Amino acid sequence: MIPALALVAGVALGLVFEPVVPLWLQPYLPIAVVAALDAMFGGIRARLDGIFDAKVFVVSFVSNVLVAALIVFLGDKLGVGAQLSTGVVVVLGIRIFGNAAAIRRHLFRA
Amino acid sequence: MSPLGVAGPGATAAPESTTSTAAQATESASAGSAGGVVESGVGSGVEVGGESGGESGGESAVGRAEESGFESAAESAGGVVESGVRSAAGSAVESGGESGGESGGESAVGRAGESGGGPAFEPDGASLGESPVGLAEESLPGPATARGAQAEWEDEDEWEDEAEWEGREFGGGGLLPPVAAHDADLRSAALSARGGGGDASDGRGVEEADGAGDGAGDGAGDGAGDGAGEGAGDGAGAGESGAGRRRVLRWSRSPAAILVGVLIGLLGFGLAVQVRSNTSTSGLPAARQEDLVRILDDLSSREDRLRRQIAELEAARARLSSAGDTSSTALQEARKRSEALGILAGTVTAQGPGVVLTITDPDHRLAAEDLLDTVEELRAAGAEAIQVGGVRIGLDSSFTAADTGIAVDGVAVTVPYTILAIGDPPTLATAMGIPGGVADTAKRAGGEARTEQRQQVVIRALRPVKTPHYSRPTN
Protein backbone atom coordinates (compact mmCIF):
# COMPACT_ATOMS: atom_id res chain seq x y z
CA MET A 1 0.00 0.00 0.00
CA ILE A 2 1.29 3.37 -0.90
CA PRO A 3 1.10 5.00 2.53
CA ALA A 4 3.00 2.18 4.19
CA LEU A 5 5.69 2.38 1.57
CA ALA A 6 5.74 6.14 1.92
CA LEU A 7 6.13 5.87 5.66
CA VAL A 8 9.02 3.47 5.35
CA ALA A 9 10.60 5.64 2.70
CA GLY A 10 10.21 8.73 4.84
CA VAL A 11 11.80 7.06 7.83
CA ALA A 12 14.63 5.76 5.69
CA LEU A 13 15.23 9.19 4.20
CA GLY A 14 15.25 10.72 7.64
CA LEU A 15 17.81 8.22 8.82
CA VAL A 16 19.95 8.54 5.74
CA PHE A 17 20.11 12.28 5.45
CA GLU A 18 20.24 13.04 9.14
CA PRO A 19 19.22 16.62 8.75
CA VAL A 20 19.86 19.01 11.57
CA VAL A 21 16.71 20.53 12.90
CA PRO A 22 16.87 24.31 12.85
CA LEU A 23 16.77 25.94 16.22
CA TRP A 24 13.53 27.81 15.77
CA LEU A 25 11.81 24.59 14.76
CA GLN A 26 13.08 22.39 17.53
CA PRO A 27 10.36 23.01 20.14
CA TYR A 28 7.57 22.39 17.63
CA LEU A 29 8.77 19.38 15.76
CA PRO A 30 7.82 16.77 18.36
CA ILE A 31 4.33 18.18 18.74
CA ALA A 32 3.92 18.36 15.00
CA VAL A 33 5.02 14.78 14.63
CA VAL A 34 2.54 13.60 17.25
CA ALA A 35 -0.24 15.58 15.62
CA ALA A 36 0.63 14.07 12.27
CA LEU A 37 0.66 10.64 13.87
CA ASP A 38 -2.82 11.31 15.17
CA ALA A 39 -3.99 12.27 11.71
CA MET A 40 -2.43 9.16 10.27
CA PHE A 41 -4.13 6.90 12.79
CA GLY A 42 -7.38 8.60 12.04
CA GLY A 43 -6.81 7.98 8.39
CA ILE A 44 -6.15 4.31 9.01
CA ARG A 45 -9.30 4.06 11.04
CA ALA A 46 -11.28 5.79 8.35
CA ARG A 47 -9.86 3.40 5.86
CA LEU A 48 -10.93 0.43 7.90
CA ASP A 49 -14.31 1.98 8.40
CA GLY A 50 -14.53 2.46 4.69
CA ILE A 51 -15.09 6.16 4.95
CA PHE A 52 -11.68 7.39 3.97
CA ASP A 53 -11.49 10.51 1.93
CA ALA A 54 -8.16 11.73 0.73
CA LYS A 55 -9.04 15.37 0.74
CA VAL A 56 -10.32 15.30 4.27
CA PHE A 57 -7.25 13.41 5.30
CA VAL A 58 -4.90 15.88 3.72
CA VAL A 59 -6.69 18.86 5.16
CA SER A 60 -6.93 17.33 8.58
CA PHE A 61 -3.30 16.29 8.51
CA VAL A 62 -2.10 19.75 7.66
CA SER A 63 -4.47 21.48 10.00
CA ASN A 64 -3.59 19.17 12.87
CA VAL A 65 0.05 19.93 12.47
CA LEU A 66 -0.50 23.64 12.13
CA VAL A 67 -2.93 23.92 14.99
CA ALA A 68 -0.71 21.92 17.31
CA ALA A 69 2.29 24.05 16.45
CA LEU A 70 0.21 27.17 16.81
CA ILE A 71 -1.01 26.15 20.25
CA VAL A 72 2.51 25.42 21.41
CA PHE A 73 3.76 28.68 20.00
CA LEU A 74 0.94 30.58 21.65
CA GLY A 75 1.61 28.85 24.91
CA ASP A 76 5.25 29.82 24.79
CA LYS A 77 4.32 33.40 24.16
CA LEU A 78 1.83 33.39 26.98
CA GLY A 79 4.20 31.76 29.40
CA VAL A 80 2.30 28.52 29.80
CA GLY A 81 4.27 26.77 27.14
CA ALA A 82 5.03 23.65 29.12
CA GLN A 83 1.46 23.21 30.30
CA LEU A 84 -0.11 23.81 26.92
CA SER A 85 2.36 21.56 25.25
CA THR A 86 1.56 18.88 27.79
CA GLY A 87 -2.13 19.40 27.20
CA VAL A 88 -1.75 19.11 23.46
CA VAL A 89 0.27 15.96 23.78
CA VAL A 90 -2.27 14.48 26.18
CA VAL A 91 -5.18 15.20 23.90
CA LEU A 92 -3.39 13.86 20.85
CA GLY A 93 -2.49 10.78 22.80
CA ILE A 94 -6.10 10.26 23.81
CA ARG A 95 -7.20 10.52 20.22
CA ILE A 96 -4.50 8.18 19.08
CA PHE A 97 -5.65 5.70 21.68
CA GLY A 98 -9.23 5.99 20.50
CA ASN A 99 -8.29 5.47 16.91
CA ALA A 100 -5.98 2.63 17.76
CA ALA A 101 -8.77 0.97 19.68
CA ALA A 102 -11.09 1.27 16.71
CA ILE A 103 -8.41 -0.12 14.43
CA ARG A 104 -7.86 -2.97 16.81
CA ARG A 105 -11.55 -3.74 16.81
CA HIS A 106 -11.49 -3.85 13.07
CA LEU A 107 -8.43 -6.00 12.77
CA PHE A 108 -8.93 -8.45 15.56
CA ARG A 109 -12.65 -8.17 16.13
CA ALA A 110 -11.80 -7.76 19.76
CA MET B 1 -43.23 12.55 1.44
CA SER B 2 -42.03 13.35 4.78
CA PRO B 3 -39.01 15.18 5.83
CA LEU B 4 -38.22 12.14 7.76
CA GLY B 5 -38.02 10.36 4.53
CA VAL B 6 -34.96 12.42 4.00
CA ALA B 7 -33.72 11.70 7.41
CA GLY B 8 -34.55 8.08 7.08
CA PRO B 9 -32.04 7.14 4.50
CA GLY B 10 -29.60 9.34 6.20
CA ALA B 11 -30.08 7.40 9.34
CA THR B 12 -29.77 4.20 7.50
CA ALA B 13 -26.63 5.42 5.96
CA ALA B 14 -25.19 5.58 9.40
CA PRO B 15 -22.93 2.84 10.63
CA GLU B 16 -24.18 -0.61 10.49
CA SER B 17 -25.28 -0.89 14.02
CA THR B 18 -27.60 1.97 13.55
CA THR B 19 -28.68 0.99 10.14
CA SER B 20 -31.36 -1.34 11.27
CA THR B 21 -32.61 1.00 13.89
CA ALA B 22 -32.56 3.77 11.43
CA ALA B 23 -34.48 1.65 9.05
CA GLN B 24 -36.99 1.11 11.74
CA ALA B 25 -37.20 4.80 12.25
CA THR B 26 -37.66 5.31 8.63
CA GLU B 27 -40.30 2.77 8.43
CA SER B 28 -42.10 4.14 11.35
CA ALA B 29 -41.64 7.55 9.91
CA SER B 30 -43.07 6.61 6.65
CA ALA B 31 -45.87 4.86 8.31
CA GLY B 32 -47.74 7.88 9.51
CA SER B 33 -48.72 11.30 8.37
CA ALA B 34 -46.23 14.03 7.91
CA GLY B 35 -46.48 15.42 11.38
CA GLY B 36 -46.91 12.13 12.95
CA VAL B 37 -44.11 10.83 10.89
CA VAL B 38 -41.90 13.56 12.10
CA GLU B 39 -42.64 12.93 15.69
CA SER B 40 -42.39 9.25 15.47
CA GLY B 41 -39.33 9.74 13.48
CA VAL B 42 -37.93 11.95 16.15
CA GLY B 43 -38.87 9.47 18.79
CA SER B 44 -37.35 6.61 16.92
CA GLY B 45 -34.43 8.77 16.16
CA VAL B 46 -33.95 9.25 19.84
CA GLU B 47 -34.21 5.57 20.38
CA VAL B 48 -31.86 5.04 17.58
CA GLY B 49 -29.49 7.41 19.15
CA GLY B 50 -29.84 5.73 22.48
CA GLU B 51 -29.38 2.29 21.11
CA SER B 52 -26.57 3.17 18.93
CA GLY B 53 -25.04 4.98 21.81
CA GLY B 54 -24.83 1.76 23.62
CA GLU B 55 -22.75 0.22 20.94
CA SER B 56 -19.82 2.48 20.70
CA GLY B 57 -18.90 5.99 21.41
CA GLY B 58 -18.79 7.02 17.84
CA GLU B 59 -21.99 5.44 17.13
CA SER B 60 -23.59 7.09 20.05
CA ALA B 61 -22.37 10.30 18.64
CA VAL B 62 -24.05 9.33 15.47
CA GLY B 63 -27.17 8.70 17.41
CA ARG B 64 -26.92 12.10 18.92
CA ALA B 65 -26.43 13.63 15.59
CA GLU B 66 -29.32 11.74 14.29
CA GLU B 67 -31.36 12.86 17.16
CA SER B 68 -30.57 16.44 16.62
CA GLY B 69 -31.09 16.00 12.96
CA PHE B 70 -34.44 14.53 13.58
CA GLU B 71 -35.35 17.25 15.92
CA SER B 72 -34.44 19.89 13.50
CA ALA B 73 -36.28 18.01 10.89
CA ALA B 74 -39.26 17.95 13.14
CA GLU B 75 -39.01 21.65 13.68
CA SER B 76 -38.92 22.32 10.07
CA ALA B 77 -41.52 19.74 9.38
CA GLY B 78 -44.06 22.36 9.13
CA GLY B 79 -42.04 24.31 6.66
CA VAL B 80 -40.77 23.66 3.28
CA VAL B 81 -39.24 20.33 2.87
CA GLU B 82 -36.16 21.84 1.44
CA SER B 83 -35.64 24.29 4.19
CA GLY B 84 -36.44 21.58 6.64
CA VAL B 85 -33.81 19.43 5.15
CA ARG B 86 -31.36 22.23 5.04
CA SER B 87 -31.87 23.31 8.57
CA ALA B 88 -31.77 19.77 9.64
CA ALA B 89 -28.52 19.43 7.90
CA GLY B 90 -27.29 22.66 9.39
CA SER B 91 -28.23 21.83 12.91
CA ALA B 92 -26.98 18.37 12.39
CA VAL B 93 -23.75 19.93 11.40
CA GLU B 94 -23.63 21.99 14.53
CA SER B 95 -24.67 19.16 16.74
CA GLY B 96 -22.28 16.93 14.98
CA GLY B 97 -19.57 19.45 15.52
CA GLU B 98 -20.37 19.89 19.17
CA SER B 99 -20.77 16.29 19.97
CA GLY B 100 -17.77 15.67 17.83
CA GLY B 101 -15.71 17.61 20.26
CA GLU B 102 -12.58 15.88 19.31
CA SER B 103 -12.08 17.69 16.09
CA GLY B 104 -14.73 15.47 14.76
CA GLY B 105 -16.44 18.71 14.11
CA GLU B 106 -14.17 19.28 11.21
CA SER B 107 -15.22 16.28 9.36
CA ALA B 108 -18.70 16.75 10.68
CA VAL B 109 -18.72 20.10 9.07
CA GLY B 110 -17.32 18.62 5.98
CA ARG B 111 -19.86 15.93 6.06
CA ALA B 112 -22.53 18.39 6.82
CA GLY B 113 -21.38 20.50 3.97
CA GLU B 114 -21.75 17.53 1.86
CA SER B 115 -24.98 16.51 3.31
CA GLY B 116 -26.30 20.00 3.33
CA GLY B 117 -26.30 19.75 -0.35
CA GLY B 118 -28.38 17.93 -2.71
CA PRO B 119 -29.57 14.47 -2.61
CA ALA B 120 -26.22 12.94 -2.17
CA PHE B 121 -27.93 9.78 -1.29
CA GLU B 122 -29.71 9.76 -4.46
CA PRO B 123 -27.22 7.58 -6.17
CA ASP B 124 -27.68 5.25 -3.34
CA GLY B 125 -31.34 5.56 -3.64
CA ALA B 126 -31.01 5.15 -7.31
CA SER B 127 -29.00 2.04 -6.95
CA LEU B 128 -31.22 0.85 -4.24
CA GLY B 129 -34.25 1.70 -6.16
CA GLU B 130 -34.50 -1.85 -7.16
CA SER B 131 -35.03 -2.86 -3.66
CA PRO B 132 -38.03 -1.00 -2.45
CA VAL B 133 -38.47 -1.03 1.21
CA GLY B 134 -42.11 -0.57 1.14
CA LEU B 135 -41.83 3.09 1.12
CA ALA B 136 -44.37 4.78 -1.00
CA GLU B 137 -41.87 7.22 -2.21
CA GLU B 138 -39.70 5.67 -4.58
CA SER B 139 -38.78 9.16 -4.48
CA LEU B 140 -35.82 8.57 -6.51
CA PRO B 141 -34.32 11.67 -7.73
CA GLY B 142 -34.70 12.28 -11.34
CA PRO B 143 -32.56 10.08 -13.39
CA ALA B 144 -30.57 13.12 -14.18
CA THR B 145 -29.59 13.58 -10.62
CA ALA B 146 -28.82 9.95 -10.22
CA ARG B 147 -26.62 10.04 -13.19
CA GLY B 148 -24.99 13.13 -11.94
CA ALA B 149 -24.27 11.50 -8.67
CA GLN B 150 -22.86 8.55 -10.39
CA ALA B 151 -20.69 10.80 -12.40
CA GLU B 152 -19.45 12.04 -9.11
CA TRP B 153 -18.38 8.63 -8.17
CA GLU B 154 -16.53 8.20 -11.32
CA ASP B 155 -14.58 11.35 -10.70
CA GLU B 156 -13.08 9.88 -7.66
CA ASP B 157 -12.18 12.91 -5.74
CA GLU B 158 -14.42 15.51 -7.07
CA TRP B 159 -15.65 17.75 -4.42
CA GLU B 160 -18.95 19.27 -5.20
CA ASP B 161 -19.77 22.77 -4.36
CA GLU B 162 -22.85 24.13 -2.83
CA ALA B 163 -24.15 25.41 -6.10
CA GLU B 164 -24.32 21.98 -7.47
CA TRP B 165 -26.01 20.74 -4.42
CA GLU B 166 -28.50 23.48 -4.39
CA GLY B 167 -29.12 22.83 -7.98
CA ARG B 168 -30.33 19.44 -7.11
CA GLU B 169 -33.94 18.89 -7.05
CA PHE B 170 -35.33 18.30 -3.71
CA GLY B 171 -38.88 17.78 -4.58
CA GLY B 172 -39.98 14.34 -5.06
CA GLY B 173 -36.53 13.47 -5.99
CA GLY B 174 -35.17 14.74 -2.80
CA LEU B 175 -36.61 12.01 -0.80
CA LEU B 176 -34.87 8.79 -0.89
CA PRO B 177 -36.12 5.41 -0.07
CA PRO B 178 -34.64 3.96 3.01
CA VAL B 179 -32.25 1.17 2.68
CA ALA B 180 -33.63 -2.21 3.38
CA ALA B 181 -32.40 -2.96 6.78
CA HIS B 182 -31.93 -6.57 6.12
CA ASP B 183 -30.33 -6.44 2.83
CA ALA B 184 -26.68 -6.90 3.46
CA ASP B 185 -25.75 -5.82 0.04
CA LEU B 186 -27.69 -2.68 0.28
CA ARG B 187 -26.34 -2.01 3.67
CA SER B 188 -22.81 -2.34 2.51
CA ALA B 189 -23.70 -0.28 -0.46
CA ALA B 190 -25.19 2.29 1.78
CA LEU B 191 -22.09 2.25 3.87
CA SER B 192 -19.77 2.65 0.99
CA ALA B 193 -21.97 5.25 -0.50
CA ARG B 194 -22.06 6.95 2.78
CA GLY B 195 -18.30 6.80 2.69
CA GLY B 196 -18.04 10.49 2.95
CA GLY B 197 -14.34 10.17 3.17
CA GLY B 198 -12.65 12.11 5.83
CA ASP B 199 -10.15 10.73 8.15
CA ALA B 200 -11.45 9.27 11.26
CA SER B 201 -9.19 11.06 13.57
CA ASP B 202 -12.35 12.86 13.26
CA GLY B 203 -13.75 9.40 13.04
CA ARG B 204 -16.56 10.15 15.34
CA GLY B 205 -17.10 13.34 13.57
CA VAL B 206 -17.43 11.43 10.40
CA GLU B 207 -20.01 9.26 11.89
CA GLU B 208 -21.68 12.21 13.35
CA ALA B 209 -21.52 13.82 10.04
CA ASP B 210 -23.13 10.77 8.72
CA GLY B 211 -25.72 11.26 11.32
CA ALA B 212 -25.87 14.85 10.35
CA GLY B 213 -26.34 13.78 6.84
CA ASP B 214 -29.32 11.99 8.12
CA GLY B 215 -30.97 15.28 8.27
CA ALA B 216 -30.54 15.50 4.61
CA GLY B 217 -29.62 12.07 3.69
CA ASP B 218 -28.66 13.30 0.32
CA GLY B 219 -25.66 15.10 1.53
CA ALA B 220 -24.26 11.89 2.78
CA GLY B 221 -24.69 10.52 -0.61
CA ASP B 222 -22.62 13.35 -1.96
CA GLY B 223 -19.88 12.72 0.45
CA ALA B 224 -20.48 9.12 -0.21
CA GLY B 225 -20.00 9.90 -3.80
CA ASP B 226 -16.59 11.25 -3.08
CA GLY B 227 -15.55 8.62 -0.66
CA ALA B 228 -17.26 5.90 -2.50
CA GLY B 229 -15.56 7.15 -5.54
CA GLU B 230 -12.33 6.01 -4.04
CA GLY B 231 -13.33 2.89 -2.30
CA ALA B 232 -16.30 1.91 -4.26
CA GLY B 233 -15.75 3.64 -7.48
CA ASP B 234 -15.92 0.38 -9.17
CA GLY B 235 -18.67 -0.70 -6.99
CA ALA B 236 -20.50 2.37 -8.08
CA GLY B 237 -21.67 0.20 -10.80
CA ALA B 238 -24.26 -0.72 -8.29
CA GLY B 239 -25.91 2.42 -9.32
CA GLU B 240 -26.44 0.73 -12.55
CA SER B 241 -27.59 -2.56 -11.37
CA GLY B 242 -27.79 -2.15 -7.67
CA ALA B 243 -26.74 -5.68 -7.31
CA GLY B 244 -23.50 -7.13 -6.16
CA ARG B 245 -22.01 -3.90 -5.23
CA ARG B 246 -18.75 -4.69 -3.65
CA ARG B 247 -16.61 -2.35 -1.89
CA VAL B 248 -13.43 -2.56 -3.81
CA LEU B 249 -10.53 -1.28 -1.90
CA ARG B 250 -8.21 -0.22 -4.55
CA TRP B 251 -5.78 2.60 -4.38
CA SER B 252 -5.69 4.56 -7.47
CA ARG B 253 -2.94 6.73 -8.74
CA SER B 254 -4.95 9.79 -8.22
CA PRO B 255 -3.19 12.93 -7.14
CA ALA B 256 -4.91 12.62 -3.81
CA ALA B 257 -3.36 9.26 -3.13
CA ILE B 258 0.02 10.58 -4.07
CA LEU B 259 -0.50 13.56 -1.85
CA VAL B 260 -1.48 11.28 0.98
CA GLY B 261 1.62 9.27 0.36
CA VAL B 262 3.72 12.39 0.38
CA LEU B 263 2.24 13.49 3.67
CA ILE B 264 2.80 10.11 5.22
CA GLY B 265 6.34 10.19 3.93
CA LEU B 266 6.79 13.58 5.54
CA LEU B 267 5.50 12.13 8.76
CA GLY B 268 8.01 9.30 8.61
CA PHE B 269 10.74 11.74 7.79
CA GLY B 270 9.83 14.03 10.66
CA LEU B 271 9.59 11.06 12.98
CA ALA B 272 13.05 9.84 12.11
CA VAL B 273 14.54 13.31 12.31
CA GLN B 274 12.95 14.05 15.64
CA VAL B 275 14.01 10.76 17.17
CA ARG B 276 17.53 11.26 15.95
CA SER B 277 17.74 14.84 17.13
CA ASN B 278 16.29 13.89 20.46
CA THR B 279 18.74 11.13 21.13
CA SER B 280 21.78 12.96 19.87
CA THR B 281 21.57 16.44 21.29
CA SER B 282 21.18 17.41 24.88
CA GLY B 283 18.08 19.29 23.98
CA LEU B 284 19.11 22.50 25.61
CA PRO B 285 18.75 24.67 22.54
CA ALA B 286 15.22 23.40 22.13
CA ALA B 287 14.21 23.75 25.75
CA ARG B 288 11.82 26.31 27.05
CA GLN B 289 12.83 29.34 28.98
CA GLU B 290 11.36 28.12 32.22
CA ASP B 291 13.08 24.79 31.86
CA LEU B 292 16.34 26.50 31.18
CA VAL B 293 15.91 28.70 34.25
CA ARG B 294 15.29 25.66 36.35
CA ILE B 295 18.31 23.90 34.93
CA LEU B 296 20.38 27.01 35.58
CA ASP B 297 19.27 27.09 39.21
CA ASP B 298 20.13 23.46 39.67
CA LEU B 299 23.54 23.98 38.18
CA SER B 300 24.21 27.02 40.34
CA SER B 301 23.40 25.20 43.55
CA ARG B 302 25.50 22.30 42.42
CA GLU B 303 28.36 24.64 41.72
CA ASP B 304 28.11 26.03 45.24
CA ARG B 305 28.24 22.59 46.75
CA LEU B 306 31.21 21.65 44.66
CA ARG B 307 33.09 24.81 45.55
CA ARG B 308 32.61 24.10 49.22
CA GLN B 309 33.86 20.61 48.67
CA ILE B 310 36.92 21.94 46.88
CA ALA B 311 37.73 24.22 49.77
CA GLU B 312 37.43 21.37 52.23
CA LEU B 313 39.61 19.12 50.16
CA GLU B 314 42.26 21.76 49.75
CA ALA B 315 42.38 22.31 53.48
CA ALA B 316 42.73 18.61 54.06
CA ARG B 317 45.46 18.41 51.51
CA ALA B 318 47.36 21.26 53.13
CA ARG B 319 47.02 19.55 56.47
CA LEU B 320 48.22 16.24 55.15
CA SER B 321 51.08 17.69 53.19
CA SER B 322 52.38 19.56 56.21
CA ALA B 323 52.02 16.44 58.28
CA GLY B 324 53.75 14.57 55.59
CA ASP B 325 56.62 17.00 55.75
CA THR B 326 57.08 16.41 59.44
CA SER B 327 56.95 12.76 58.87
CA SER B 328 59.61 13.00 56.21
CA THR B 329 61.65 15.09 58.57
CA ALA B 330 61.22 12.45 61.18
CA LEU B 331 62.19 9.91 58.59
CA GLN B 332 65.35 11.78 57.85
CA GLU B 333 66.10 12.06 61.49
CA ALA B 334 65.61 8.37 61.95
CA ARG B 335 67.88 7.64 59.04
CA LYS B 336 70.61 9.82 60.40
CA ARG B 337 70.33 8.23 63.78
CA SER B 338 70.51 4.77 62.38
CA GLU B 339 73.63 5.73 60.44
CA ALA B 340 75.27 7.18 63.47
CA LEU B 341 74.37 4.24 65.58
CA GLY B 342 75.51 1.88 62.86
CA ILE B 343 78.86 3.53 62.67
CA LEU B 344 79.26 3.49 66.35
CA ALA B 345 78.05 -0.07 66.66
CA GLY B 346 80.19 -1.25 63.80
CA THR B 347 77.46 -2.43 61.53
CA VAL B 348 78.12 0.12 58.83
CA THR B 349 81.30 0.85 56.94
CA ALA B 350 82.74 4.19 57.77
CA GLN B 351 85.15 6.58 56.25
CA GLY B 352 86.64 9.83 57.27
CA PRO B 353 89.81 11.52 58.54
CA GLY B 354 91.75 9.55 61.07
CA VAL B 355 94.94 7.74 61.83
CA VAL B 356 96.53 4.49 60.82
CA LEU B 357 98.46 2.98 63.70
CA THR B 358 101.06 0.37 62.95
CA ILE B 359 102.53 -1.47 65.92
CA THR B 360 105.42 -3.73 65.34
CA ASP B 361 106.26 -6.32 67.96
CA PRO B 362 109.20 -8.39 66.88
CA ASP B 363 109.62 -10.02 70.26
CA HIS B 364 106.02 -10.79 70.73
CA ARG B 365 106.13 -9.12 74.07
CA LEU B 366 102.90 -7.18 73.60
CA ALA B 367 99.88 -8.71 75.29
CA ALA B 368 96.21 -8.40 74.72
CA GLU B 369 95.97 -5.80 77.45
CA ASP B 370 98.25 -3.55 75.47
CA LEU B 371 95.97 -3.65 72.48
CA LEU B 372 93.06 -3.05 74.73
CA ASP B 373 94.84 -0.04 76.17
CA THR B 374 95.43 1.20 72.64
CA VAL B 375 91.80 0.95 71.80
CA GLU B 376 90.90 2.67 75.06
CA GLU B 377 93.31 5.47 74.37
CA LEU B 378 91.86 5.95 70.90
CA ARG B 379 88.36 6.03 72.30
CA ALA B 380 89.37 8.53 74.90
CA ALA B 381 90.81 10.67 72.13
CA GLY B 382 87.48 10.63 70.31
CA ALA B 383 87.82 7.84 67.80
CA GLU B 384 84.47 6.99 66.38
CA ALA B 385 85.34 3.83 64.52
CA ILE B 386 88.23 1.54 65.14
CA GLN B 387 89.42 -1.45 63.25
CA VAL B 388 92.13 -3.71 64.57
CA GLY B 389 93.59 -5.92 61.90
CA GLY B 390 90.48 -7.08 60.12
CA VAL B 391 88.11 -6.83 63.03
CA ARG B 392 85.85 -3.97 63.73
CA ILE B 393 85.93 -2.88 67.32
CA GLY B 394 82.47 -2.62 68.85
CA LEU B 395 80.54 -2.63 72.06
CA ASP B 396 81.44 -6.10 73.12
CA SER B 397 84.85 -6.51 71.62
CA SER B 398 87.30 -8.53 73.56
CA PHE B 399 91.03 -9.07 73.41
CA THR B 400 92.20 -12.47 74.39
CA ALA B 401 95.42 -14.33 74.31
CA ALA B 402 95.50 -16.98 71.66
CA ASP B 403 98.03 -19.59 70.76
CA THR B 404 99.36 -17.60 67.91
CA GLY B 405 99.32 -14.35 69.70
CA ILE B 406 96.48 -11.96 70.37
CA ALA B 407 92.95 -12.62 69.32
CA VAL B 408 90.37 -9.94 68.88
CA ASP B 409 86.86 -11.26 69.22
CA GLY B 410 88.30 -14.68 68.65
CA VAL B 411 90.04 -13.68 65.46
CA ALA B 412 93.79 -13.87 65.67
CA VAL B 413 95.70 -10.81 64.68
CA THR B 414 99.25 -10.97 63.59
CA VAL B 415 102.20 -8.72 63.99
CA PRO B 416 102.46 -6.00 62.87
CA TYR B 417 99.19 -4.87 64.28
CA THR B 418 97.39 -2.42 62.01
CA ILE B 419 94.85 -0.28 63.70
CA LEU B 420 92.61 2.09 61.81
CA ALA B 421 90.81 4.79 63.65
CA ILE B 422 88.52 7.52 62.37
CA GLY B 423 88.50 10.70 64.35
CA ASP B 424 90.34 13.95 64.67
CA PRO B 425 93.78 13.04 63.37
CA PRO B 426 95.90 15.43 65.47
CA THR B 427 94.07 14.51 68.62
CA LEU B 428 94.41 10.83 67.94
CA ALA B 429 98.07 11.15 67.08
CA THR B 430 98.74 13.15 70.21
CA ALA B 431 96.92 10.60 72.28
CA MET B 432 99.12 7.89 70.90
CA GLY B 433 102.19 9.84 71.78
CA ILE B 434 101.53 10.77 75.39
CA PRO B 435 104.06 9.61 77.90
CA GLY B 436 103.10 6.17 79.07
CA GLY B 437 100.83 5.78 76.10
CA VAL B 438 100.78 3.35 73.25
CA ALA B 439 104.02 4.49 71.71
CA ASP B 440 105.87 4.18 75.04
CA THR B 441 104.46 0.77 75.69
CA ALA B 442 105.43 -0.46 72.31
CA LYS B 443 108.94 0.91 72.65
CA ARG B 444 109.36 -0.67 76.07
CA ALA B 445 108.26 -3.98 74.53
CA GLY B 446 110.94 -3.70 71.92
CA GLY B 447 108.61 -2.68 69.19
CA GLU B 448 107.44 0.48 67.63
CA ALA B 449 104.12 2.26 67.29
CA ARG B 450 103.96 4.36 64.23
CA THR B 451 101.07 6.75 63.85
CA GLU B 452 100.16 8.05 60.49
CA GLN B 453 97.59 10.75 60.12
CA ARG B 454 95.35 10.53 57.08
CA GLN B 455 92.60 12.58 55.62
CA GLN B 456 90.71 9.55 54.44
CA VAL B 457 90.62 6.39 56.42
CA VAL B 458 88.19 3.73 55.23
CA ILE B 459 87.06 1.12 57.70
CA ARG B 460 85.40 -1.75 55.96
CA ALA B 461 85.24 -4.37 58.61
CA LEU B 462 81.79 -4.91 60.04
CA ARG B 463 80.40 -6.40 63.16
CA PRO B 464 77.35 -8.64 62.94
CA VAL B 465 74.11 -7.11 64.11
CA LYS B 466 72.89 -8.62 67.28
CA THR B 467 69.46 -8.15 68.73
CA PRO B 468 69.33 -8.11 72.49
CA HIS B 469 67.64 -11.05 74.08
CA TYR B 470 67.17 -9.76 77.54
CA SER B 471 67.03 -6.04 77.37
CA ARG B 472 64.18 -3.97 76.03
CA PRO B 473 63.58 -0.28 75.65
CA THR B 474 61.91 1.10 78.70
CA ASN B 475 59.44 3.41 76.92
Side-chain angles (χ1 to χ4, degrees), chain A residues 13-100:
Chain A
L13 280 178
L15 291 176
V16 159
F17 282 116
E18 294 187 28
V20 174
V21 183
L23 212 55
W24 55 269
L25 188 60
Q26 279 194 5
Y28 307 109
L29 190 56
I31 302 282
V33 166
V34 175
L37 265 180
D38 170 48
M40 188 186 79
F41 273 97
I44 295 176
R45 178 186 179 177
R47 192 88 176 109
L48 291 175
D49 280 344
I51 49 179
F52 182 84
D53 180 19
K55 173 168 176 177
V56 173
F57 174 75
V58 166
V59 170
S60 125
F61 188 101
V62 172
S63 78
N64 257 13
V65 167
L66 288 180
V67 167
L70 185 67
I71 290 182
V72 169
F73 172 75
L74 196 62
D76 278 344
K77 289 295 170 246
L78 290 175
V80 288
Q83 291 89 327
L84 263 184
S85 157
T86 300
V88 166
V89 168
V90 165
V91 166
L92 288 174
I94 289 176
R95 288 163 48 122
I96 290 180
F97 264 110
N99 287 331

Side-chain angles (χ1 to χ4, degrees), chain B residues 113-141:
Chain B
E114 295 176 285
S115 55
F121 207 65
E122 285 171 336
D124 237 345
S127 55
L128 304 174
E130 278 78 22
S131 56
V133 191
L135 231 212
E137 3 164 309
E138 319 192 332
S139 37
L140 294 186

Side-chain angles (χ1 to χ4, degrees), chain A residues 1 3 6 10 14-15 19 21 23 26 29-30 33 36 40 42 46-47 50-56 60 76 81-82 85 95 99, chain B residues 102-103 159 195 197-201 206 230 247 251 256 260-261 263-265 267-269 271-274 276 285-286 288 290:
Chain A
M1 199 113 117
L15 291 176
V21 183
L23 212 55
Q26 279 194 5
L29 190 56
V33 166
M40 188 186 79
R47 192 88 176 109
I51 49 179
F52 182 84
D53 180 19
K55 173 168 176 177
V56 173
S60 125
D76 278 344
S85 157
R95 288 163 48 122
N99 287 331
Chain B
E102 54 283 51
S103 80
W159 199 259
D199 65 310
S201 68
V206 172
E230 299 213 350
R247 184 160 41 143
W251 270 107
V260 166
L263 283 182
I264 299 284
L267 165 65
F269 187 73
L271 200 62
V273 165
Q274 177 59 29
R276 178 167 294 277
R288 290 210 168 64
E290 49 219 29

